[in-house]
Coordinates of all heavy atoms in Angstrom, one line a residue:
M63 N -0.7 -30.3 -11.3 CA 0.0 -30.1 -10.1 C -0.6 -29.0 -9.3 O -1.1 -28.0 -9.9 CB 1.5 -29.7 -10.4 CG 2.2 -30.8 -11.1 SD 4.0 -30.3 -11.1 CE 4.6 -31.9 -11.5
T64 N -0.7 -29.1 -8.0 CA -1.3 -28.1 -7.2 C -0.6 -26.8 -7.1 O -1.1 -25.7 -6.9 CB -1.6 -28.6 -5.8 OG1 -0.3 -29.0 -5.2 CG2 -2.6 -29.8 -5.8
A65 N 0.8 -26.8 -7.3 CA 1.6 -25.6 -7.2 C 1.2 -24.7 -8.4 O 1.2 -23.5 -8.2 CB 3.0 -25.9 -7.2
D66 N 0.9 -25.2 -9.5 CA 0.5 -24.4 -10.7 C -0.9 -23.9 -10.5 O -1.3 -22.9 -11.2 CB 0.6 -25.2 -12.0 CG 2.0 -25.6 -12.3 OD1 2.9 -24.9 -11.8 OD2 2.2 -26.6 -13.0
A67 N -1.7 -24.5 -9.7 CA -3.1 -24.1 -9.5 C -3.3 -22.9 -8.5 O -4.4 -22.6 -8.1 CB -3.9 -25.3 -9.1
A68 N -2.2 -22.4 -8.0 CA -2.2 -21.3 -7.0 C -2.9 -20.1 -7.7 O -2.7 -19.8 -8.8 CB -0.8 -20.9 -6.6
P69 N -3.8 -19.4 -6.9 CA -4.5 -18.3 -7.5 C -3.6 -17.1 -7.8 O -2.6 -16.9 -7.2 CB -5.5 -17.9 -6.3 CG -5.0 -18.5 -5.1 CD -4.2 -19.7 -5.5
A70 N -4.0 -16.4 -8.8 CA -3.1 -15.3 -9.3 C -3.0 -14.2 -8.3 O -2.1 -13.5 -8.2 CB -3.7 -14.7 -10.6
K71 N -4.0 -14.1 -7.4 CA -4.0 -13.0 -6.4 C -2.9 -13.2 -5.4 O -2.6 -12.3 -4.6 CB -5.4 -12.9 -5.7 CG -6.5 -12.3 -6.7 CD -7.7 -12.1 -5.9 CE -8.7 -11.4 -6.8 NZ -10.0 -11.0 -6.2
A72 N -2.3 -14.4 -5.3 CA -1.3 -14.6 -4.3 C 0.1 -14.1 -4.8 O 1.0 -14.0 -4.0 CB -1.1 -16.1 -4.1
T73 N 0.1 -13.6 -6.0 CA 1.3 -13.0 -6.5 C 1.5 -11.6 -6.1 O 0.5 -10.9 -5.8 CB 1.3 -13.1 -8.1 OG1 0.2 -12.3 -8.6 CG2 1.3 -14.5 -8.6
P74 N 2.7 -11.1 -6.0 CA 2.9 -9.7 -5.6 C 2.3 -8.8 -6.6 O 2.3 -9.1 -7.8 CB 4.4 -9.5 -5.6 CG 5.0 -10.9 -5.6 CD 4.0 -11.8 -6.2
P75 N 1.8 -7.6 -6.2 CA 1.2 -6.7 -7.2 C 2.3 -6.1 -8.1 O 3.5 -6.1 -7.8 CB 0.6 -5.6 -6.3 CG 1.2 -5.8 -4.9 CD 1.7 -7.2 -4.9
Q76 N 1.9 -5.7 -9.3 CA 2.8 -5.1 -10.3 C 3.2 -3.7 -9.9 O 4.3 -3.2 -10.3 CB 2.1 -5.1 -11.6 CG 1.8 -6.4 -12.2 CD 3.0 -7.2 -12.6 OE1 3.9 -6.6 -13.2 NE2 3.0 -8.5 -12.4
S77 N 2.4 -3.0 -9.1 CA 2.6 -1.6 -8.8 C 1.9 -1.2 -7.6 O 0.9 -1.9 -7.1 CB 2.3 -0.7 -9.9 OG 0.8 -0.7 -10.1
F78 N 2.2 0.0 -7.0 CA 1.5 0.5 -5.9 C 0.0 0.7 -6.2 O -0.9 0.4 -5.5 CB 2.2 1.8 -5.5 CG 1.5 2.6 -4.3 CD1 1.7 2.2 -3.0 CD2 0.6 3.6 -4.6 CE1 1.0 2.9 -2.0 CE2 -0.1 4.3 -3.6 CZ 0.2 3.9 -2.3
E79 N -0.2 1.3 -7.4 CA -1.5 1.6 -7.9 C -2.4 0.3 -8.0 O -3.6 0.3 -7.6 CB -1.5 2.4 -9.2 CG -0.9 3.8 -9.1 CD 0.6 3.8 -9.0 OE1 1.3 2.8 -9.3 OE2 1.1 4.9 -8.7
Q80 N -1.8 -0.7 -8.5 CA -2.5 -2.0 -8.6 C -2.8 -2.6 -7.3 O -3.9 -3.1 -7.0 CB -1.7 -3.0 -9.4 CG -2.4 -4.3 -9.6 CD -1.5 -5.4 -10.2 OE1 -0.3 -5.4 -10.0 NE2 -2.1 -6.3 -11.0
A81 N -1.9 -2.4 -6.3 CA -2.1 -2.9 -5.0 C -3.3 -2.2 -4.3 O -4.1 -2.7 -3.7 CB -0.9 -2.8 -4.2
M82 N -3.3 -0.8 -4.5 CA -4.4 0.0 -3.9 C -5.7 -0.4 -4.5 O -6.7 -0.4 -3.8 CB -4.0 1.5 -4.1 CG -2.9 2.0 -3.3 SD -3.2 1.9 -1.5 CE -4.5 3.1 -1.3
A83 N -5.7 -0.6 -5.8 CA -7.0 -0.9 -6.5 C -7.5 -2.3 -6.0 O -8.7 -2.5 -5.7 CB -6.8 -1.0 -8.0
E84 N -6.6 -3.3 -5.9 CA -7.0 -4.6 -5.4 C -7.5 -4.5 -3.9 O -8.5 -5.1 -3.5 CB -5.9 -5.6 -5.5 CG -6.3 -7.0 -5.1 CD -5.2 -8.0 -5.2 OE1 -4.1 -7.7 -5.9 OE2 -5.3 -9.1 -4.6
L85 N -6.8 -3.7 -3.1 CA -7.2 -3.5 -1.7 C -8.6 -2.9 -1.6 O -9.4 -3.3 -0.8 CB -6.1 -2.6 -1.0 CG -6.3 -2.5 0.5 CD1 -6.3 -3.8 1.2 CD2 -5.1 -1.6 1.0
A86 N -8.8 -1.9 -2.4 CA -10.2 -1.2 -2.5 C -11.2 -2.2 -2.8 O -12.3 -2.3 -2.2 CB -10.2 -0.1 -3.4
Q87 N -10.9 -3.1 -3.8 CA -11.9 -4.1 -4.2 C -12.2 -5.1 -3.1 O -13.3 -5.5 -2.8 CB -11.4 -4.8 -5.5 CG -12.3 -5.9 -6.0 CD -11.7 -6.6 -7.2 OE1 -10.5 -6.6 -7.4 NE2 -12.6 -7.2 -8.0
L88 N -11.1 -5.5 -2.4 CA -11.3 -6.4 -1.3 C -12.1 -5.8 -0.2 O -13.0 -6.5 0.4 CB -9.9 -6.9 -0.7 CG -9.1 -7.8 -1.5 CD1 -7.7 -8.0 -1.0 CD2 -9.8 -9.2 -1.7
V89 N -11.9 -4.6 0.1 CA -12.6 -3.9 1.2 C -14.1 -3.8 0.8 O -15.0 -4.1 1.6 CB -12.1 -2.5 1.4 CG1 -13.0 -1.7 2.3 CG2 -10.7 -2.6 2.1
T90 N -14.4 -3.5 -0.5 CA -15.8 -3.5 -0.9 C -16.5 -4.8 -0.8 O -17.6 -4.9 -0.3 CB -15.8 -3.0 -2.4 OG1 -15.2 -1.7 -2.5 CG2 -17.3 -2.9 -2.9
Q91 N -15.8 -5.9 -1.2 CA -16.3 -7.2 -1.1 C -16.6 -7.6 0.4 O -17.6 -8.1 0.7 CB -15.4 -8.2 -1.7 CG -15.3 -8.2 -3.2 CD -14.2 -9.1 -3.8 OE1 -13.4 -9.6 -3.0 NE2 -14.3 -9.3 -5.1
M92 N -15.6 -7.3 1.2 CA -15.8 -7.6 2.7 C -16.9 -6.8 3.3 O -17.7 -7.3 4.1 CB -14.5 -7.4 3.4 CG -13.4 -8.4 3.0 SD -11.8 -8.2 3.7 CE -12.2 -8.7 5.4
E93 N -17.0 -5.5 3.0 CA -18.1 -4.7 3.6 C -19.4 -5.1 3.1 O -20.4 -4.9 3.8 CB -17.8 -3.2 3.2 CG -16.6 -2.6 4.0 CD -16.4 -1.2 3.7 OE1 -16.8 -0.7 2.7 OE2 -15.7 -0.5 4.5
S94 N -19.5 -5.7 1.9 CA -20.8 -6.1 1.4 C -21.5 -7.2 2.2 O -22.7 -7.4 2.1 CB -20.7 -6.5 -0.1 OG -20.1 -7.7 -0.2
G95 N -20.6 -8.0 2.8 CA -21.1 -9.1 3.6 C -21.4 -10.3 2.7 O -22.0 -11.3 3.2
A96 N -21.1 -10.3 1.5 CA -21.4 -11.4 0.5 C -20.4 -12.5 0.6 O -20.7 -13.6 0.1 CB -21.5 -10.8 -0.9
L97 N -19.3 -12.3 1.2 CA -18.3 -13.4 1.2 C -18.5 -14.3 2.3 O -18.8 -13.9 3.4 CB -16.9 -12.7 1.4 CG -16.3 -11.9 0.3 CD1 -14.9 -11.3 0.7 CD2 -16.1 -12.7 -1.0
P98 N -18.4 -15.6 2.0 CA -18.5 -16.6 3.1 C -17.3 -16.4 4.1 O -16.3 -15.7 3.8 CB -18.3 -18.0 2.4 CG -18.2 -17.7 1.0 CD -18.2 -16.2 0.8
L99 N -17.3 -17.0 5.2 CA -16.3 -16.8 6.3 C -14.9 -17.1 5.8 O -14.0 -16.3 6.0 CB -16.7 -17.6 7.5 CG -15.7 -17.5 8.7 CD1 -15.7 -16.1 9.2 CD2 -16.1 -18.4 9.8
E100 N -14.7 -18.2 5.2 CA -13.4 -18.6 4.7 C -12.9 -17.6 3.7 O -11.7 -17.3 3.7 CB -13.4 -20.0 4.2 CG -13.5 -21.1 5.3 CD -13.5 -22.5 4.7 OE1 -12.9 -22.7 3.6 OE2 -13.9 -23.4 5.4
A101 N -13.7 -17.2 2.8 CA -13.3 -16.2 1.8 C -13.0 -14.9 2.4 O -12.1 -14.2 2.0 CB -14.4 -16.1 0.7
S102 N -13.7 -14.5 3.5 CA -13.4 -13.3 4.2 C -12.1 -13.3 4.9 O -11.3 -12.3 4.9 CB -14.5 -13.0 5.3 OG -15.7 -12.7 4.7
V103 N -11.7 -14.5 5.5 CA -10.4 -14.6 6.1 C -9.3 -14.5 5.1 O -8.3 -13.9 5.3 CB -10.4 -16.0 6.9 CG1 -9.0 -16.2 7.4 CG2 -11.3 -15.9 8.1
A104 N -9.5 -15.2 3.9 CA -8.5 -15.1 2.8 C -8.4 -13.7 2.3 O -7.3 -13.2 2.0 CB -8.9 -16.1 1.7
A105 N -9.5 -13.0 2.2 CA -9.5 -11.6 1.7 C -8.7 -10.7 2.7 O -8.0 -9.9 2.3 CB -10.9 -11.1 1.5
Y106 N -9.0 -11.0 4.0 CA -8.3 -10.2 5.0 C -6.8 -10.5 5.0 O -6.0 -9.5 5.1 CB -8.8 -10.6 6.4 CG -8.2 -9.8 7.5 CD1 -8.7 -8.6 7.9 CD2 -7.1 -10.3 8.2 CE1 -8.1 -7.8 8.9 CE2 -6.5 -9.5 9.2 CZ -7.0 -8.3 9.6 OH -6.4 -7.6 10.6
A107 N -6.4 -11.7 4.8 CA -5.0 -12.1 4.7 C -4.3 -11.4 3.5 O -3.2 -10.8 3.6 CB -4.8 -13.6 4.6
R108 N -5.0 -11.4 2.4 CA -4.5 -10.8 1.1 C -4.4 -9.3 1.4 O -3.4 -8.6 1.0 CB -5.4 -11.1 -0.1 CG -5.0 -10.4 -1.3 CD -3.6 -10.8 -1.8 NE -3.3 -10.2 -3.1 CZ -2.1 -10.2 -3.6 NH1 -1.1 -10.7 -3.0 NH2 -1.9 -9.6 -4.8
G109 N -5.4 -8.7 2.0 CA -5.4 -7.3 2.3 C -4.3 -6.9 3.1 O -3.6 -5.8 2.9
S110 N -4.0 -7.7 4.1 CA -2.8 -7.4 5.0 C -1.5 -7.4 4.2 O -0.7 -6.6 4.4 CB -2.8 -8.5 6.1 OG -1.7 -8.3 7.0
E111 N -1.4 -8.4 3.3 CA -0.2 -8.4 2.4 C -0.1 -7.2 1.6 O 1.0 -6.6 1.4 CB -0.2 -9.6 1.5 CG -0.1 -11.0 2.2 CD -0.4 -12.1 1.2 OE1 -0.5 -11.9 0.0 OE2 -0.4 -13.3 1.7
L112 N -1.2 -6.7 1.0 CA -1.2 -5.5 0.2 C -0.9 -4.3 1.0 O -0.2 -3.4 0.5 CB -2.6 -5.4 -0.5 CG -2.9 -6.5 -1.5 CD1 -4.4 -6.4 -2.0 CD2 -2.0 -6.3 -2.7
V113 N -1.4 -4.2 2.2 CA -1.1 -3.0 3.0 C 0.4 -3.0 3.3 O 1.1 -1.9 3.3 CB -1.9 -3.1 4.4 CG1 -1.4 -2.1 5.4 CG2 -3.4 -2.8 4.1
K114 N 1.0 -4.1 3.6 CA 2.5 -4.2 3.9 C 3.2 -3.8 2.6 O 4.2 -3.1 2.7 CB 2.9 -5.6 4.3 CG 2.4 -5.9 5.7 CD 2.8 -7.4 6.1 CE 2.2 -7.8 7.4 NZ 2.4 -9.2 7.8
Y115 N 2.8 -4.3 1.5 CA 3.5 -3.9 0.2 C 3.4 -2.4 0.0 O 4.4 -1.8 -0.3 CB 2.8 -4.7 -0.9 CG 3.3 -4.2 -2.3 CD1 4.5 -4.7 -2.8 CD2 2.6 -3.2 -3.0 CE1 5.0 -4.3 -4.1 CE2 3.1 -2.8 -4.3 CZ 4.3 -3.3 -4.8 OH 4.8 -2.9 -6.0
C116 N 2.2 -1.8 0.2 CA 2.0 -0.4 -0.1 C 2.9 0.4 0.9 O 3.5 1.4 0.5 CB 0.6 0.0 0.0 SG -0.4 -0.6 -1.3
A117 N 2.9 0.0 2.2 CA 3.7 0.7 3.2 C 5.2 0.7 2.8 O 5.9 1.7 2.9 CB 3.4 0.1 4.6
A118 N 5.6 -0.5 2.4 CA 7.0 -0.6 2.0 C 7.4 0.3 0.8 O 8.4 0.9 0.7 CB 7.4 -2.0 1.7
Q119 N 6.4 0.4 -0.2 CA 6.6 1.2 -1.4 C 6.7 2.7 -1.0 O 7.5 3.4 -1.5 CB 5.5 1.0 -2.4 CG 5.5 -0.4 -3.0 CD 6.8 -0.6 -3.8 OE1 7.7 -1.3 -3.4 NE2 6.9 0.0 -5.0
L120 N 5.8 3.1 -0.1 CA 5.8 4.5 0.4 C 7.1 4.8 1.1 O 7.6 5.9 1.0 CB 4.6 4.7 1.3 CG 3.2 4.8 0.6 CD1 2.1 4.9 1.6 CD2 3.2 5.9 -0.4
E121 N 7.5 3.9 2.0 CA 8.8 4.1 2.7 C 10.0 4.3 1.7 O 10.8 5.1 1.9 CB 9.1 3.0 3.7 CG 8.2 3.1 4.9 CD 8.5 1.9 5.9 OE1 9.6 1.3 5.8 OE2 7.6 1.6 6.7
K122 N 10.0 3.4 0.7 CA 11.0 3.5 -0.3 C 11.0 4.8 -1.1 O 12.1 5.5 -1.3 CB 10.9 2.3 -1.3 CG 12.0 2.2 -2.3 CD 12.0 0.9 -3.1 CE 10.9 0.8 -4.1 NZ 11.0 -0.4 -4.9
V123 N 9.8 5.3 -1.4 CA 9.7 6.6 -2.1 C 10.1 7.7 -1.2 O 10.8 8.7 -1.6 CB 8.3 6.7 -2.7 CG1 8.1 8.2 -3.2 CG2 8.0 5.7 -3.8
E124 N 9.7 7.6 0.0 CA 10.1 8.7 1.0 C 11.6 8.8 1.1 O 12.1 9.9 1.1 CB 9.4 8.4 2.3 CG 9.7 9.5 3.4 CD 9.1 9.2 4.7 OE1 8.6 8.1 5.0 OE2 9.1 10.1 5.5
S125 N 12.3 7.7 1.2 CA 13.7 7.7 1.2 C 14.3 8.3 0.0 O 15.3 9.0 0.1 CB 14.2 6.2 1.4 OG 13.8 5.7 2.6
Q126 N 13.8 8.0 -1.2 CA 14.3 8.5 -2.4 C 14.1 10.0 -2.4 O 15.0 10.8 -2.9 CB 13.6 7.9 -3.6 CG 13.9 6.4 -3.8 CD 13.1 5.8 -4.9 OE1 12.1 6.3 -5.4 NE2 13.5 4.6 -5.3
V127 N 13.0 10.5 -2.0 CA 12.7 12.0 -1.9 C 13.7 12.6 -1.0 O 14.2 13.7 -1.3 CB 11.2 12.3 -1.5 CG1 11.1 13.7 -1.2 CG2 10.3 11.8 -2.6
K128 N 14.0 12.0 0.1 CA 14.9 12.6 1.1 C 16.3 12.7 0.5 O 17.0 13.7 0.6 CB 15.0 11.8 2.4 CG 13.8 12.0 3.3 CD 13.9 11.2 4.5 CE 12.6 11.4 5.4 NZ 12.7 10.6 6.6
V129 N 16.7 11.7 -0.3 CA 18.0 11.8 -0.9 C 18.0 12.8 -2.0 O 19.0 13.6 -2.1 CB 18.3 10.4 -1.6 CG1 19.5 10.5 -2.5 CG2 18.6 9.4 -0.5
L130 N 16.9 12.9 -2.8 CA 16.9 13.9 -3.9 C 16.8 15.3 -3.4 O 17.5 16.2 -3.9 CB 15.6 13.6 -4.8 CG 15.7 12.4 -5.6 CD1 14.3 12.1 -6.3 CD2 16.8 12.4 -6.6
E131 N 16.1 15.5 -2.3 CA 16.0 16.9 -1.7 C 17.2 17.3 -0.9 O 17.5 18.5 -0.8 CB 14.7 17.0 -0.9 CG 13.4 16.8 -1.7 CD 13.2 18.0 -2.7 OE1 13.5 19.1 -2.4 OE2 12.7 17.7 -3.8
G132 N 17.9 16.3 -0.3 CA 19.0 16.6 0.5 C 18.7 17.6 1.6 O 17.8 17.4 2.4
D133 N 19.5 18.7 1.7 CA 19.3 19.7 2.8 C 18.2 20.7 2.5 O 18.0 21.6 3.2 CB 20.6 20.4 3.0 CG 21.7 19.6 3.6 OD1 21.3 18.6 4.3 OD2 22.9 19.8 3.3
M134 N 17.5 20.5 1.3 CA 16.5 21.5 1.0 C 15.2 21.3 1.8 O 14.4 22.1 1.9 CB 16.1 21.3 -0.5 CG 17.3 21.8 -1.4 SD 17.0 21.6 -3.2 CE 15.4 22.3 -3.4
L135 N 15.1 20.1 2.4 CA 13.9 19.8 3.3 C 14.1 20.6 4.6 O 15.0 20.5 5.3 CB 13.8 18.3 3.6 CG 13.4 17.5 2.4 CD1 13.4 16.0 2.9 CD2 12.0 17.8 1.9
K136 N 13.1 21.5 4.8 CA 13.1 22.3 6.0 C 11.8 22.1 6.7 O 10.7 22.1 6.1 CB 13.4 23.7 5.7 CG 14.8 24.0 5.1 CD 15.0 25.4 4.9 CE 16.4 25.7 4.5 NZ 16.9 25.4 3.2
P137 N 11.8 22.1 8.1 CA 10.5 22.0 8.8 C 9.7 23.3 8.6 O 10.2 24.4 8.5 CB 10.9 21.8 10.2 CG 12.3 22.3 10.3 CD 12.9 22.1 8.9
F138 N 8.4 23.1 8.5 CA 7.5 24.3 8.4 C 7.4 25.0 9.7 O 7.3 24.4 10.8 CB 6.1 23.8 8.0 CG 5.1 24.9 7.9 CD1 5.0 25.7 6.8 CD2 4.2 25.1 9.0 CE1 4.1 26.7 6.7 CE2 3.2 26.1 8.9 CZ 3.2 26.9 7.8
S139 N 7.5 26.4 9.7 CA 7.4 27.1 10.9 C 6.5 28.3 10.6 O 6.6 28.9 9.5 CB 8.7 27.5 11.5 OG 9.3 28.5 10.6
D140 N 5.7 28.7 11.6 CA 4.8 29.9 11.4 C 5.6 31.2 11.6 O 5.1 32.2 11.3 CB 3.7 29.8 12.5 CG 2.8 28.7 12.1 OD1 2.6 28.3 11.0 OD2 2.1 28.1 13.1
D141 N 6.8 31.1 12.1 CA 7.6 32.3 12.4 C 8.0 33.1 11.2 O 8.2 34.3 11.2 CB 8.9 32.0 13.2 CG 8.5 31.4 14.6 OD1 7.4 31.7 15.1 OD2 9.3 30.7 15.2
E142 N 8.2 32.4 10.1 CA 8.7 33.1 8.8 C 7.7 34.1 8.3 O 8.1 35.2 7.8 CB 8.9 32.0 7.7 CG 10.1 31.1 8.1 CD 10.3 30.1 7.0 OE1 9.9 30.3 5.8 OE2 11.0 29.1 7.3
G143 N 6.4 33.9 8.5 CA 5.4 34.9 8.0 C 5.0 35.9 9.0 O 4.4 36.9 8.7
A144 N 5.4 35.7 10.3 CA 5.0 36.6 11.3 C 5.8 37.9 11.4 O 7.0 37.9 11.0 CB 5.0 35.9 12.7
Q145 N 5.2 39.0 11.8 CA 6.0 40.2 11.9 C 6.1 40.7 13.3 O 5.3 40.6 14.1 CB 5.4 41.3 11.0 CG 5.5 41.0 9.6 CD 4.9 42.1 8.7 OE1 4.4 43.1 9.2 NE2 4.9 41.9 7.4

């Protein structure tokens, strides 16, 4: 069946680190110029998916940090060290 023959790279990454590693590999392959046009388009599409996944993971972690830190997060100001 063709549904079972789907490439493993179409699956979501296991982690942020795995997504970043795969993205770096795709960039290297694309920059080398060794990929045929269709493979380059597929690599670009996969890279786009990975970037979206990583951005979503970063947003999720940022939200978690904001909750954990609560009111402890304060903007940086140069006035505190000035006399």
Side-chain angles (χ1 to χ4, degrees):
M63 297 187 164
T64 57
D66 294 336
K71 289 189 177 183
T73 61
Q76 297 288 323
S77 66
F78 176 83
E79 293 78 11
Q80 182 188 30
M82 289 297 293
E84 185 180 344
L85 187 57
Q87 183 181 20
L88 287 172
V89 168
T90 300
Q91 289 174 348
M92 292 176 72
E93 287 180 342
S94 74
L97 293 178
L99 181 61
E100 288 182 20
S102 292
V103 172
Y106 183 86
R108 177 62 177 168
S110 180
E111 293 172 6
L112 292 169
V113 167
K114 288 177 187 176
Y115 172 84
C116 289
Q119 291 298 103
L120 289 173
E121 287 178 19
K122 186 166 72 170
V123 169
E124 183 180 13
S125 296
Q126 290 173 348
V127 168
K128 286 180 180 179
V129 168
L130 292 172
E131 294 294 324
D133 292 332
M134 292 175 51
L135 291 178
K136 295 183 170 75
F138 176 79
S139 71
D140 291 333
D141 295 339
E142 291 179 20
Q145 293 183 1

